[in-house]
Amino acid sequence: QSVLTQPPSVSGAPGQRVTISCTGSSSNIEAGYDVNWYQQIPGTAPKLLIYGNNNRPSGVPDRFSGSRSGTSPSLAITGLQAEDEADYYCQSFDDNLGGYVFGTGTKVTVL
Amino acid sequence: EVQLVESGGGLVQPGGSLRLSCAASGFIFNNHWMSWVRQAPGKGLESVANIKQDGNEKNYVDSVRGRFTISRDNAKNSLNLQMNSLRAEDTAVYYCAREMIYNSRSHHDSWGQGTLVTVSS
């Protein structure tokens, strides 16, 4: 049972912008811990998309961006492409669990 | 190029044991914390355990503490997960992942392809 909640699914047409939220609590995101984001194409290993709230590793397209408004982190995908169809997970540290936790995951569908 | 290759998965009966290994290459292994992350069929990601560079600090998710043991051999660039008293709910793909530190916290920047563990009679 994850302590980070994401919407189960979001969808958009090619070229559109979609956002994914990640809601936590006082023991993780609200405590100020950074949020990371991962993309997982079905049948493959997860891939790091964003670390430290808004940093993109080299090789990740700039249409992926992370932001954080107070205690509300989100991942945005602009200029949605068919290859962006995947599951997306947020991750943060949790004081109560003493370790890193993942979000519930969001399936992105390109219409 | 960073490479992480897991092995050791398979079918095991409830109560049985299995040892997973992860062969690392392409980076200085003993510079990094390392993790095992699992994913049950059709479910999300779950951090299972991680281990410090020198092996002297280990963390486990509550559901596996006392049953699983994470270890590493820095001379062989390998990460291991000894899994005992396996349960049906341990059925999952197990990923080996490298941790990178940013702002005093970790993220997993490289992942293996995963190895499937199935616990069933």
Side-chain angles (χ1 to χ4, degrees):
Chain A
Q1 190 115 2
S2 178
V3 298
L4 303 181
T5 304
Q6 301 176 231
S9 64
V10 299
S11 61
Q16 283 190 331
R17 179 179 187 269
V18 297
T19 61
I20 301 170
S21 60
C22 178
T23 303
S25 66
S26 58
S27 62
N28 44 69
I29 292 174
E30 293 175 13
Y33 293 118
D34 285 350
V35 175
N36 309 312
W37 292 91
Y38 300 85
Q39 176 194 58
Q40 186 179 32
I41 293 169
T44 70
K47 170 189 170 184
L48 178 67
L49 273 186
I50 299 289
Y51 66 93
N53 299 317
N54 55 15
N55 299 281
R56 255 189 327 273
S58 60
V60 173
D62 60 7
R63 66 177 184 276
F64 294 95
S65 62
S67 65
R68 183 177 182 135
S69 175
T71 58
S72 301
S74 62
L75 174 72
I77 311 173
T78 56
L80 198 60
Q81 299 183 6
E83 67 209 53
D84 299 333
E85 273 209 349
D87 297 315
Y88 293 81
Y89 294 90
C90 60
Q91 179 198 39
S92 189
F93 185 82
D94 187 273
D95 280 329
N96 290 344
L97 299 176
Y100 292 89
V101 291
F102 289 93
T104 49
T106 298
K107 181 176 181 59
V108 169
T109 300
V110 182
L111 302 172
Chain B
E1 179 195 1
V2 173
Q3 279 203 319
L4 299 168
V5 180
E6 301 94 336
S7 61
L11 175 63
V12 61
Q13 292 189 339
S17 298
L18 214 54
R19 183 178 178 84
L20 306 183
S21 294
C22 171
S25 61
F27 66 101
I28 301 174
F29 183 68
N30 59 12
N31 277 0
H32 294 268
W33 281 76
M34 295 295 295
S35 288
W36 288 100
V37 177
R38 69 183 178 184
Q39 186 171 36
K43 303 295 184 182
L45 301 170
E46 180 183 41
S47 293
V48 174
N50 69 350
I51 185 169
K52 195 177 178 180
Q53 291 92 328
D54 59 7
N56 287 336
E57 186 174 339
K58 306 173 186 181
N59 300 296
Y60 299 92
V61 68
D62 283 348
S63 59
V64 309
R65 189 173 291 114
R67 300 188 298 122
F68 290 11
T69 301
I70 189 172
S71 63
R72 63 192 295 162
D73 185 335
N74 287 339
K76 296 181 178 178
N77 290 348
S78 71
L79 176 72
N80 304 297
L81 186 68
Q82 177 67 42
M83 303 186 295
N84 299 329
S85 303
L86 282 161
R87 306 166 180 167
E89 54 264 35
D90 296 318
T91 294
V93 174
Y94 285 73
Y95 296 101
C96 165
R98 185 179 80 166
E99 295 189 21
M100 284 289 285
I101 303 294
Y102 176 81
N103 211 17
S104 302
R105 291 297 168 187
S106 288
H107 53 273
H108 298 97
D109 73 325
S110 297
W111 298 68
Q113 84 287 352
T115 187
L116 176 63
V117 172
T118 303
V119 184
S120 174
S121 54

